[in-house]
């Protein structure tokens, strides 16, 4: 929720629904697009970028979707779409196509984590050595 009730949700810089004019949907948030390797590094970079923009709550599950018919519900939809577009733009084309039809940034995030967020035993052994 916005702290300043005089401002619209997407105009209050303290609100998770704030959208700065520089927030382009085709922004390269991290140095390289995720192509299937180096998921932990890509994920950490995305977390930092999303946190800096006050949008981490759209992927980490701490912000639930409000009722659609409210102003907050409409603001949530708009910000969720923005975060989805950032995620898609920062993924390799093949991976982006595989998550294109998920409805929320959280669903995309969970799918990527499920597919790429594991550590294999040989990788773990190699890291420990």
């Amino acid at each position: 929720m916005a702290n300043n009730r005089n401002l619209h949700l997407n105009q209050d810089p303290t609100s998770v629904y704030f959208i700065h004019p520089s927030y382009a949907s085709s922004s390269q948030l991290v140095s390289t697009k995720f192509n299937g390797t180096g998921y932990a590094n890509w994920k950490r970079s995305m977390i930092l970028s999303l946190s800096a923009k006050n949008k981490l709550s759209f992927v980490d599950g701490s912000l639930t979707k409000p009722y659609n018919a409210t102003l907050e519900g409409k603001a949530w939809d708009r910000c969720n779409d923005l975060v989805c577009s950032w995620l898609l733009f920062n993924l390799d084309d093949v991976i982006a196509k595989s998550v294109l039809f998920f409805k929320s940034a959280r669903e995309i995030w969970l799918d990527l984590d499920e597919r790429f967020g594991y550590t294999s035993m040989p990788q773990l052994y190699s890291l420990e050595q």
Side-chain angles (χ1 to χ4, degrees):
M1 284 296 228
N3 291 336
N4 187 340
R5 296 287 181 210
N6 296 327
L7 293 175
H8 192 275
L9 288 171
N10 67 353
Q11 294 174 334
D12 179 0
T14 65
S15 170
V16 296
Y17 302 118
F18 175 69
I19 298 178
H20 191 273
S22 69
Y23 290 176
S25 61
S26 59
S27 293
Q28 185 73 34
L29 300 182
V30 295
S31 58
T32 57
K33 292 185 177 196
F34 177 63
N35 65 3
T37 60
Y39 177 72
N41 294 335
W42 177 86
K43 179 181 177 180
R44 176 67 179 148
S45 296
M46 286 298 293
I47 287 171
L48 291 172
S49 294
L50 292 170
S51 177
K53 295 177 183 305
N54 198 19
K55 300 292 180 268
L56 186 59
S57 58
F58 286 89
V59 297
D60 72 6
S62 62
L63 180 68
T64 57
K65 183 178 179 178
Y67 183 63
N68 278 343
T70 64
L71 287 177
E72 187 178 3
K74 293 177 188 318
W76 187 95
D77 285 336
R78 186 171 178 213
C79 286
N80 177 68
D81 289 346
L82 178 63
V83 175
C84 285
S85 69
W86 284 339
L87 289 172
L88 293 171
F89 192 80
N90 287 273
L91 294 170
D92 177 75
D93 288 343
V94 172
I95 296 172
K97 287 177 184 175
S98 73
V99 295
L100 181 62
F101 293 100
F102 284 108
K103 294 184 190 269
S104 74
R106 175 78 175 146
E107 289 174 328
I108 293 172
W109 194 257
L110 289 173
D111 182 75
L112 294 172
D113 214 39
E114 183 178 307
R115 289 194 286 159
F116 302 105
Y118 65 90
T119 302
S120 69
M121 291 313 278
Q123 285 176 326
L124 187 57
Y125 177 78
S126 175
L127 289 172
E128 288 176 351
Q129 298 306 311

